[in-house]
Amino acid sequence: MSSRVTSSAEQPHRNAHPGAPDPQRVESPAVAREPEAWTGGGRTLLARRLALAIPSLAAAGGLAWLAGLAYPAGGSPLAWAILVLFALVMGWQAFVACQYVYGLVAAILGDRAKSVLERRSEAAEVPAASAGRTAAVVAIHAEDAVAVFARLRVMARSLARADAHDIDIFVLSDTRDGAIAAVEEHEFARIQAWSEADPALPRIRYRRRSENIGRKAGNIGEFCRRYGADYAFMIVLDADSLMTGAAMTRLVQLMDESPRTGLIQTVSYAAGRDTLFARIQQFAVRLYAPLALRCLETWQGPEGSYWGHNAILRIEAFAENAQLPVLPGRAPLGGEILCHDIVEGALMVRAGWEVRLLPEMGGTWEEMPTNLVDLLGRERRWCQGNLQHLRVLPWAGLHAASRSHLAVGILAYGMLPLWIAFLGLASWQAARTGDLGLLAYGLTGHGAAAHALAALSLAVLALPKVLSLGHVLASPGRRASFGGTKALLASAALEQVVWVFLWPVLTLFTAGAVVSTFLGRVVRWETQDRDDRQVSWAEAFRLQADAVVVGALIVFALVWAGNAWLGLWLAPLALALLASPAQSVWTSRADLGRAARARGLFLTADDTAQAPELAELAQIRGLPAAPAPVRTAPLEPAIWLATDEA
């Protein structure tokens, strides 16, 4: 994710990029465009949003009320602090749980909860010729050029199979390193000669900027200024993106048929990596994301969000409304906006364009960090980028849905220091009083209020995973995509064990990133290592020494406190932190990931019914082949669309 932001009202031009609009000024769009939801459907959309907001607030309020009844703070400042922190962190968990309940209800409703655009995307019709040309743009910066151009070969062949004559491919390089640039140019010469030998293949072009103004957002913006007049739409891809020709042509058709739509965002699931860590994460996202995405699409309607890649944009709408100036002040909260995509989407919505999400289209993938160390590095970058949005929230004219997208991104990181504070203060109180109290969510309490608190707390903590698992188990097709019931249940159980040990490490690290951002530490945004990479013991101890120290301090404090129940309750947390380097080393092993796959663990649709594009990419890059498809039942049409389950 990346996003860039604005200058203040007092100095709207001094810090702005050339041609950037003043975000505090709301201008009328060139053409009046009333979003579908507000022309007769506004009440329905409002009702959908209230259906999420009211239960979330009720559950959060119920948790706070029961906590106050079961463990009254009295006049103790410590007890009051713990009660407030408990209400905040568990209120957030209640909101998360309600999203999954909402998503399940929307999934059960089927077409009645889907947008017109999504229903059209699922129709089995031959894409019509587009009224204009489309550019599929791949923005890169010091990436592995061989891997990037391997993906381009796969996408070019897929476009040729889809008979897509109106889509050109652009590689937009921001690489400064001369040696890496030379490899890019060599790979481009190879792929150009290859594509010119077959007239059915799309045209592939390469351009490298001499100045990297504005990072990726500036790269895309420069393309719009230079080539935008020649193209109606652009499909934005990251260096690790892969999309089928069928998915691209379907997106072009949908944009052609939807003149009020400025952006359509697809869901790209991680695939193609073999470390144990990557395989577990690929499995978990496939299992738990669909209900949350269904919830998101249902309540946001035409006021969606942009995630920066694997999406199609109307160039006119983007170029006229999404050019962003620089935030006032110094980094990390000022300067160029790092997470620019969500802000660009919000400005397009503000200008009257619809921004839509297709949560189940399929045929689109990305890659992910293959080990815990690289994931933590990405989380630090995303943390700073999301916290910068604190200065975007007050902009004039933003729609409520856009402010909600920004606020949720901020709170997702802001809650983590609160979790640390809650656990620390509640543990201190438990050591002093001998009663676990709110630290145990009411499980050790007495009386009706404590019992109700325990039940509600466990419900909001467990519902996201329980509902997601139940949703998959209810469908033979969905079960088959995970390798069958036995493989799914075993993988889900092992993933939960891994999560118990991963959560403390992620929470401690990211909470530290939040605090360091507010203290002024600037994160360097460097190229990600996208290949399977095994972490050494030396690297793991060097980068995660703080987690080990905190784990050791917790053990020392528990021994000093001498409370057996407190020690047992916090033992998993302390053990997870102490074992943090071992987690990084062991889960970064690709041989363990392949062994898990061979035993039917952590399978996804990309293993059980692999798309031709993924198989071709693995073959080009010389990666180990996936096992033979494991289909115990036919996949459902709603899941198997455009050659992939979404």
Side-chain angles (χ1 to χ4, degrees):
M1 294 168 54
S2 74
S3 303
R4 198 179 37 192
V5 191
T6 59
S7 62
S8 66
E10 291 79 11
Q11 35 181 202
H13 304 296
R14 188 173 65 186
N15 295 329
H17 292 311
D22 177 2
Q24 304 297 332
R25 186 177 69 249
V26 182
E27 299 179 354
S28 300
V31 180
R33 300 175 183 90
E34 278 294 313
E36 168 191 308
W38 301 111
T39 55
R43 292 177 183 173
T44 299
L45 188 57
L46 178 61
R48 290 185 175 196
R49 293 173 178 177
L50 290 176
L52 175 62
I54 292 174
S56 298
L57 292 172
L63 283 163
W65 178 64
L66 290 171
L69 288 178
Y71 301 97
S76 168
L78 177 61
W80 271 111
I82 293 170
L83 181 60
V84 170
L85 288 169
F86 178 86
L88 291 173
V89 297
M90 292 303 294
W92 173 258
Q93 293 302 130
F95 169 64
V96 172
C98 287
Q99 291 180 72
Y100 280 81
V101 175
Y102 189 106
L104 180 62
V105 173
I108 292 172
L109 290 174
D111 284 351
R112 287 174 289 176
K114 294 179 180 178
S115 67
V116 173
L117 183 79
E118 187 177 2
R119 293 199 298 272
R120 281 211 311 268
S121 75
E122 297 174 350
E125 48 186 71
V126 178
S130 172
R133 297 191 65 80
T134 298
V137 301
V138 183
I140 63 174
H141 175 251
E143 299 283 351
D144 179 350
V146 175
V148 170
F149 282 90
R151 295 185 190 94
L152 292 183
R153 286 175 183 265
V154 173
M155 288 189 280
R157 285 198 184 101
S158 188
L159 283 168
R161 289 195 295 269
D163 199 25
H165 301 294
D166 295 329
I167 299 178
D168 298 332
I169 297 176
F170 281 78
V171 180
L172 309 178
S173 173
D174 259 353
T175 300
R176 292 185 175 183
D177 186 291
I180 299 176
V183 178
E184 291 177 1
E185 291 165 3
H186 173 71
E187 290 299 315
F188 171 65
R190 290 183 60 212
I191 199 171
Q192 190 175 38
W194 169 77
S195 63
E196 288 176 352
D198 186 350
L201 294 170
R203 182 170 57 166
I204 301 175
R205 304 174 68 177
Y206 170 88
R207 173 290 268 133
R208 185 162 72 95
R209 289 200 300 170
S210 57
E211 296 184 14
N212 307 127
I213 299 173
R215 304 175 191 259
K216 178 186 172 182
N219 197 357
I220 299 294
E222 194 271 346
F223 169 83
C224 291
R225 291 188 295 273
R226 186 173 177 181
Y227 299 102
D230 300 328
Y231 296 92
F233 315 123
M234 70 177 166
I235 297 172
V236 179
L237 302 167
D238 267 357
D240 60 347
S241 295
L242 183 68
M243 189 177 288
T244 67
M248 291 191 204
T249 55
R250 180 55 57 89
L251 287 173
V252 172
Q253 180 189 24
L254 292 172
M255 287 292 279
D256 237 8
E257 297 171 350
S258 310
R260 292 186 297 203
T261 300
L263 189 154
I264 301 174
Q265 177 68 63
T266 71
V267 175
S268 53
Y269 284 110
R273 300 272 58 95
D274 275 336
T275 65
L276 181 60
F277 182 85
R279 293 203 61 81
I280 293 172
Q281 298 307 307
Q282 288 166 183
F283 166 82
V285 173
R286 281 278 190 175
L287 179 58
Y288 303 127
L291 290 185
L293 291 167
R294 175 53 58 196
C295 168
L296 178 64
E297 193 281 329
T298 304
W299 75 256
Q300 71 181 13
E303 300 175 339
S305 187
Y306 175 38
W307 303 336
H309 59 88
N310 294 60
I312 186 169
L313 294 80
R314 191 178 300 273
I315 291 181
E316 171 199 359
F318 183 81
E320 290 181 358
N321 302 291
Q323 298 302 307
L324 304 173
V326 178
L327 280 173
R330 294 183 299 176
L333 295 180
E336 289 183 348
I337 299 198
L338 302 180
C339 291
H340 56 85
D341 34 38
I342 187 173
V343 182
E344 291 163 342
L347 291 184
M348 292 178 69
V349 170
R350 188 179 75 171
W353 292 97
E354 292 185 1
V355 173
R356 291 286 186 175
L357 171 65
L358 293 179
E360 296 182 7
M361 195 186 85
T364 171
W365 302 271
E366 61 178 322
E367 293 177 355
M368 62 166 295
T370 61
N371 56 72
L372 179 56
V373 168
D374 290 344
L375 178 70
L376 294 177
R378 188 182 72 173
E379 285 300 305
R380 180 189 285 119
R381 295 191 297 272
W382 285 9
C383 173
Q384 181 175 318
N386 278 266
L387 293 181
Q388 280 186 315
H389 294 159
L390 286 166
R391 296 189 175 180
V392 180
L393 279 173
W395 287 3
L398 293 183
H399 288 211
S402 298
R403 296 189 201 276
S404 296
H405 294 313
L406 294 165
V408 166
I410 294 167
L411 289 172
Y413 287 97
M415 283 294 160
L416 299 180
L418 299 185
W419 266 109
I420 299 293
F422 166 69
L423 291 172
L425 293 179
S427 299
W428 181 23
Q429 183 188 56
R432 292 175 57 188
T433 64
D435 182 7
L436 294 183
L438 288 176
L439 183 64
Y441 312 107
L443 287 170
T444 60
H446 303 284
H451 296 157
L453 176 64
L456 186 55
S457 297
L458 291 178
V460 300
L461 290 171
L463 272 176
K465 292 194 173 185
V466 170
L467 292 181
S468 296
L469 187 59
H471 178 247
V472 172
L473 289 172
S475 162
R478 289 191 288 268
R479 292 199 304 269
S481 69
F482 287 94
T485 303
K486 183 178 178 180
L488 172 63
L489 292 175
S491 300
L494 289 172
E495 185 276 332
Q496 180 58 37
V497 172
V498 171
W499 179 244
V500 168
F501 286 90
L502 182 61
W503 183 85
V505 180
L506 276 171
T507 301
L508 177 65
F509 182 90
T510 313
V514 173
V515 174
S516 65
T517 297
F518 284 114
L519 293 177
R521 181 183 177 184
V522 179
V523 174
R524 294 179 59 188
W525 282 55
E526 299 175 340
T527 302
Q528 293 181 180
D529 194 333
R530 304 184 190 276
D531 288 328
D532 290 338
R533 185 176 78 85
Q534 184 166 347
V535 176
S536 67
W537 284 100
E539 180 184 13
F541 274 105
R542 177 172 57 85
L543 297 177
Q544 296 173 257
D546 52 351
V548 176
V549 170
V550 173
L553 290 175
I554 292 174
V555 171
F556 175 80
L558 292 174
V559 172
W560 175 78
N563 186 322
W565 285 113
L566 179 62
L568 287 173
W569 188 253
L570 295 182
L573 187 151
L575 182 59
L577 295 175
L578 287 171
S580 174
Q583 290 185 59
S584 293
V585 173
W586 291 335
T587 61
S588 68
R589 291 176 53 178
D591 60 334
L592 293 181
R594 287 190 286 269
R597 182 177 65 181
R599 287 164 175 76
L601 295 174
F602 309 121
L603 299 178
T604 69
D606 298 321
D607 301 303
T608 57
Q610 191 178 51
E613 286 78 5
L614 285 176
E616 184 180 356
L617 179 60
Q619 183 180 24
I620 291 176
R621 298 187 62 189
L623 302 176
V630 184
R631 290 187 182 175
T632 56
L635 293 177
E636 297 175 349
I639 299 175
W640 185 249
L641 183 62
T643 74
D644 183 37
E645 181 205 348

